């Protein structure tokens, strides 16, 4: 029996087990050493604006150690850098990198499917051109904040083709580099191709982009001639509100609403409508849905206490929206509120207040 067909209690426990497994892997000696070694050789800070779609697992698709890529996830990959909280988080991440002597690679991603447009991004009604146009809007906003010379922060528009897991790099002149078009023996040419495609990219940032592209080429090559289940049917049964969901990279399982927009009610209501439709269509059991709220914290004391308060607020806010917009769905809603110890990625469930 597949996960989405199981009773709600079993589905929730499987999800929590996945979070524990993710934290155990992240905290292992080998993973810690891999991160330290990687950052010693490639210190550029890598930030990614991405959709909540579970198929877009960039550490896996680029063979990069966990913890190197910092994701910002939201429904449809829809962001506006003028949103106060998002802008502050992004600026703080850039400040930390610059003070440490490193540049920043800001990857602004969108995704689509070549095999079937219906497997594209639901946030843009599977319109890849609209998703790409939005990515360029974010790029312009990043330039307005961090400078158009790209000397310290390089905003890179990057596609993700979900049938092959291939990255598509968009250059400054409108040309692209599609990893799916390359063979493994062309790996040594990637540096020159990126230099020609993005001539304004600083050398240190280009150096630290290359391992991602090389890893992606190796990953894509390993999938050639491999039968893959390209699951296009929506079966989401979880609404996640907040941050700290790095463990959730299961396709068609969760709808993640990042706490970035000034109006969170609209994406929460949309997520509720999607799950309601899934139940009515029989794609998932109608015995319940999970509302999971989470906030990361770095240290015990005030930081954790604030994270707990924030998670409880987000949980209560989302529950009110779902109750108001989808009262029948709310009667089947199971709520879990958590904080995440960010240094270990450990999800800690909170007792109900």
């Amino acid at each position: 029996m597949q996960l989405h067909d199981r009773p709600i209690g079993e589905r929730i426990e499987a999800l929590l087990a996945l979070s524990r497994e993710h934290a155990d892997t992240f905290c292992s000696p080998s993973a810690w050493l891999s991160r330290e070694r990687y950052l010693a050789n490639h210190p550029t800070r890598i930030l990614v604006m991405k959709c909540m779609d579970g198929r877009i697992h960039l550490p896996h698709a680029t063979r990069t150690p966990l913890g190197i890529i910092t994701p910002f996830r939201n429904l449809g990959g829809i962001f506006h850098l003028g949103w106060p909280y998002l802008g502050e988080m992004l600026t703080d991440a850039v400040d930390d990198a610059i003070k440490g002597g490193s540049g920043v690679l800001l990857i602004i991603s969108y995704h689509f499917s070549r095999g079937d447009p219906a497997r594209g991004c639901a946030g843009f009604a599977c319109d890849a051109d609209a998703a790409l146009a939005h990515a360029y809007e974010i790029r312009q906003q990043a330039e307005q904040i961090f400078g158009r010379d790209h000397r310290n922060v390089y905003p890179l528009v990057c596609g993700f083709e979900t049938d092959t897991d291939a990255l598509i790099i968009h250059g400054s002149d409108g040309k692209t580099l599609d990893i799916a078009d390359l063979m493994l023996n062309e790996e040594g040419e990637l540096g020159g191709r990126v230099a020609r495609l993005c001539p304004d990219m600083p050398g240190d940032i280009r150096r630290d982009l290359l391992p991602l592209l090389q890893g992606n080429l190796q990953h894509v090559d390993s999938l050639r001639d491999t039968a893959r289940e390209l699951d296009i049917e929506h079966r989401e049964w979880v609404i996640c509100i907040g941050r700290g969901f790095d463990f959730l990279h299961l396709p068609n399982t969760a709808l993640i609403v990042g706490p970035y927009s000034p109006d969170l009610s609209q994406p929460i209501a949309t997520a509720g409508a999607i799950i309601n439709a899934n139940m009515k269509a029989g794609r998932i059991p109608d015995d319940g849905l999970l509302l999971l709220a989470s906030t990361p914290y770095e240290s015990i004391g005030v930081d954790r206490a604030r994270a707990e308060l924030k998670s409880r607020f987000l949980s209560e806010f989302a529950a009110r929206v779902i109750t108001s917009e989808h009262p029948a769905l709310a009667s089947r809603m199971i709520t879990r509120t958590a904080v995440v110890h960010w240094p270990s990625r450990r999800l800690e469930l909170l007792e109900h207040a």
Side-chain angles (χ1 to χ4, degrees), residues 69-83:
I69 297 173
T70 301
F72 294 80
R73 301 173 72 181
N74 203 26
L75 272 165
I78 298 172
F79 300 91
H80 192 295
L81 302 192
W83 293 342

Side-chain angles (χ1 to χ4, degrees), residues 287-308:
D287 60 346
L289 75 148
L290 173 64
L291 171 63
L292 177 61
S294 168
T295 302
Y297 73 96
E298 292 283 343
S299 57
I300 61 172
V302 172
D303 192 34
R304 190 188 188 281
R306 184 175 182 274
E308 180 176 334

Side-chain angles (χ1 to χ4, degrees), residues 11 23 48 50-51 57 75 121 177 194 200 208 229 282 321 341:
R11 280 181 276 158
V48 179
K50 54 176 287 203
C51 179
H57 190 357
L75 272 165
C121 183
L177 171 62
V194 173
D200 58 340
D208 294 344
E229 182 182 358
V321 172
H341 181 237

Side-chain angles (χ1 to χ4, degrees), residues 251-302:
N252 299 333
T253 298
L255 299 162
I256 298 175
V257 179
Y260 308 118
S261 169
D263 179 14
L264 292 177
S265 58
Q266 188 274 330
I268 292 170
T270 299
I274 291 172
I275 292 181
N276 199 31
N278 290 342
M279 288 184 177
K280 289 182 177 179
R283 293 188 288 263
I284 58 174
D286 62 359
D287 60 346
L289 75 148
L290 173 64
L291 171 63
L292 177 61
S294 168
T295 302
Y297 73 96
E298 292 283 343
S299 57
I300 61 172
V302 172

Side-chain angles (χ1 to χ4, degrees), residues 34-308:
S34 293
R35 285 193 296 275
E36 293 298 303
R37 182 179 181 184
Y38 189 98
L39 290 172
N41 292 314
H42 306 287
T44 297
R45 184 76 177 269
I46 302 173
L47 312 176
V48 179
M49 318 293 290
K50 54 176 287 203
C51 179
M52 56 85 205
D53 194 305
R55 294 173 294 178
I56 309 166
H57 190 357
L58 289 183
H60 175 69
T62 61
R63 300 189 171 183
T64 306
L66 292 175
I68 300 300
I69 297 173
T70 301
F72 294 80
R73 301 173 72 181
N74 203 26
L75 272 165
I78 298 172
F79 300 91
H80 192 295
L81 302 192
W83 293 342
Y85 182 60
L86 174 62
E88 290 170 8
M89 283 188 61
L90 191 62
T91 301
D92 287 347
V94 169
D95 285 346
D96 287 344
I98 298 301
K99 289 175 182 177
S102 301
V104 177
L105 175 63
L106 177 61
I107 297 177
I108 305 162
S109 70
Y110 70 98
H111 69 94
F112 68 101
S113 162
R114 280 203 181 93
D116 184 350
R119 291 197 291 264
C121 183
F124 289 94
C126 300
D127 185 339
D129 291 335
L132 174 59
H134 180 68
Y136 272 109
E137 289 176 7
I138 298 174
R139 186 178 191 268
Q140 291 174 353
Q141 294 166 11
E143 290 177 329
Q144 185 175 350
I145 297 172
F146 302 114
R148 291 180 172 81
D149 59 6
H150 304 158
R151 294 176 60 185
N152 301 296
V153 178
Y154 196 92
L156 181 68
V157 173
C158 182
F160 189 91
E161 202 283 302
T162 53
D163 293 355
T164 61
D165 284 0
L167 298 176
I168 299 98
I169 305 300
H170 289 260
S172 55
D173 60 355
K175 295 181 180 179
T176 61
L177 171 62
D178 189 340
I179 297 299
D181 291 339
L182 303 181
M183 301 305 294
L184 194 57
N185 60 11
E186 297 178 274
E187 182 177 322
E189 302 176 17
L190 282 170
R193 288 174 181 258
V194 173
R196 292 190 294 273
L197 194 68
C198 305
D200 58 340
M201 183 180 290
D204 58 331
I205 295 179
R206 183 171 66 249
R207 175 202 65 207
D208 294 344
L209 168 63
L210 283 179
L212 274 67
L213 302 183
Q214 291 165 347
N216 186 234
L217 178 56
Q218 294 164 13
H219 174 73
V220 170
D221 186 74
S222 72
L223 297 178
R224 297 189 203 274
D225 302 320
T226 300
R228 301 182 69 198
E229 182 182 358
L230 303 174
D231 191 352
I232 66 172
E233 191 172 41
H234 282 288
R235 291 169 176 162
E236 294 89 354
W237 55 275
V238 184
I239 297 176
C240 295
I241 177 76
R243 297 169 50 225
F245 303 107
D246 283 19
F247 69 94
L248 257 176
H249 281 98
L250 298 174
N252 299 333
T253 298
L255 299 162
I256 298 175
V257 179
Y260 308 118
S261 169
D263 179 14
L264 292 177
S265 58
Q266 188 274 330
I268 292 170
T270 299
I274 291 172
I275 292 181
N276 199 31
N278 290 342
M279 288 184 177
K280 289 182 177 179
R283 293 188 288 263
I284 58 174
D286 62 359
D287 60 346
L289 75 148
L290 173 64
L291 171 63
L292 177 61
S294 168
T295 302
Y297 73 96
E298 292 283 343
S299 57
I300 61 172
V302 172
D303 192 34
R304 190 188 188 281
R306 184 175 182 274
E308 180 176 334

